[in-house]
Amino acid sequence: MLAQQRQQTILERVRSNGGVRVADLVRELGVSDMTIRRDLEVLAERGLLEKVHGGATALGPGSTEEPGFTAKSARQQQEKEAIARRAAGLVRPGTAVALSAGTTTWALARHLIGVPELTVITNSIPVAEVFHRNPRSDRTVVLTGGVRTPSDALVGPVAVAAIRRLHVDTLFLGVHGMSARAGFTTPNLLESETDRELVAAAGRLVVPADHTKWNTVGISTIAELSEADVVISDAGLPEDARTELAERAGELIIAEGSP
């Protein structure tokens, strides 16, 4: 088991049980006492749990909390719709685009169903379903495959292998959070690995993210703010965020029509 996978398992135990003991983790995961203590130290330094004598305890909901797709789709609907409309304007007919998982990219997919001669790569089941329900003979949709997450993303080795040999003009990257310190983040370690492959496959990185994503930090960084060619947000984005993104990302766009 890779260190990231082991740490994800530890966090899941902490979240479900409220705490863990080093001795139990050593027995369950089949690694040394020193390895577990090092994992706990890493997670504590990231502010994801609190180390105590002989183990660790939960801090409460935070960097590993991953709401389901239905729950997230009900949040900031007006903002996401405005962002999606603006993002769709960046897509030209005859190009290849990738849409990662997320409710904002799902909204974007609905605005792309009329674009001719489009090739779409996605690891999102809901995004793929949007195009499946609205077929075009001149459109190709590639669903990566992989292990399904609570947010309906397909992640893991199968998804990574599918993406690794692909090249797209633009990636629209859905994110759990963004901050000056951590960059663009997700609460799922395997999703982060898959998303990084999508970033590597893209000629241009566009991040559509509503204002509530600012200063929300997931466990794993997908990309630094400076790696984004374009960030699209809404009118609720605070001034400090606008300054930071304008300085570090290639371009910051505030979607018109957002509340």
Side-chain angles (χ1 to χ4, degrees):
M1 181 180 292
L2 298 175
Q4 286 187 335
Q5 294 172 311
R6 191 172 59 246
Q7 290 164 16
Q8 178 76 32
T9 298
I10 291 170
L11 283 168
E12 289 171 352
R13 298 293 184 275
V14 170
R15 185 167 53 182
S16 61
N17 300 328
V20 291
R21 296 194 308 162
V22 171
D24 293 336
L25 292 172
V26 168
R27 184 171 56 254
E28 178 184 349
L29 299 178
V31 294
S32 69
D33 179 283
M34 182 178 296
T35 296
I36 293 299
R37 292 185 186 278
R38 187 163 55 243
D39 286 338
L40 295 179
E41 186 69 37
V42 168
L43 295 170
E45 287 177 354
R46 293 177 182 172
L48 304 176
L49 51 73
E50 182 177 0
K51 283 189 67 181
V52 297
H53 181 70
T57 58
L59 293 175
S63 296
T64 59
E65 180 184 17
E66 187 174 9
F69 182 87
T70 301
K72 290 196 292 185
S73 64
R75 302 174 182 175
Q76 283 74 52
Q77 291 181 339
Q78 288 181 278
E79 291 91 337
K80 291 174 182 177
E81 182 65 18
I83 292 168
R85 284 197 304 269
R86 187 64 181 84
L90 301 179
V91 178
R92 294 181 291 105
T95 56
V97 299
L99 276 67
S100 78
T103 51
T104 307
T105 51
W106 175 62
L108 169 59
R110 300 196 298 272
H111 287 273
L112 297 181
I113 57 177
V115 179
E117 299 179 354
L118 198 63
T119 297
V120 180
I121 311 298
T122 186
N123 69 322
S124 167
I125 296 170
V127 166
E129 287 178 345
V130 168
F131 294 113
H132 178 71
R133 291 194 302 268
N134 299 273
R136 288 182 63 105
S137 61
D138 61 350
R139 181 175 60 223
T140 300
V141 179
V142 179
L143 184 61
T144 64
V147 178
R148 191 172 185 169
T149 72
S151 60
D152 283 347
L154 296 175
V155 302
V158 173
V160 167
I163 296 164
R164 187 159 287 163
R165 295 181 179 275
L166 300 175
H167 305 280
V168 297
D169 298 297
T170 303
L171 165 64
F172 294 92
L173 178 69
V175 299
H176 173 76
M178 55 182 176
S179 75
R181 175 178 65 85
F184 303 109
T185 61
T186 172
N188 188 294
L189 289 166
L190 290 177
E191 186 164 1
S192 178
E193 180 185 18
T194 303
D195 285 346
R196 281 194 290 270
E197 287 293 336
L198 286 169
V199 171
R204 177 174 62 165
L205 173 59
V206 179
V207 180
D210 70 77
H211 70 277
T212 65
K213 305 295 179 68
W214 184 250
N215 278 339
T216 296
V217 178
I219 183 177
S220 186
T221 297
I222 304 165
E224 301 298 330
L225 297 184
S226 58
E227 294 181 64
D229 295 289
V230 182
V231 175
I232 307 175
S233 194
D234 61 84
L237 191 70
E239 285 303 320
D240 64 320
R242 296 187 187 209
T243 299
E244 194 73 38
L245 289 166
E247 290 179 353
R248 296 178 63 179
E251 180 182 6
L252 172 64
I253 296 173
I254 301 300
E256 296 180 3
S258 56

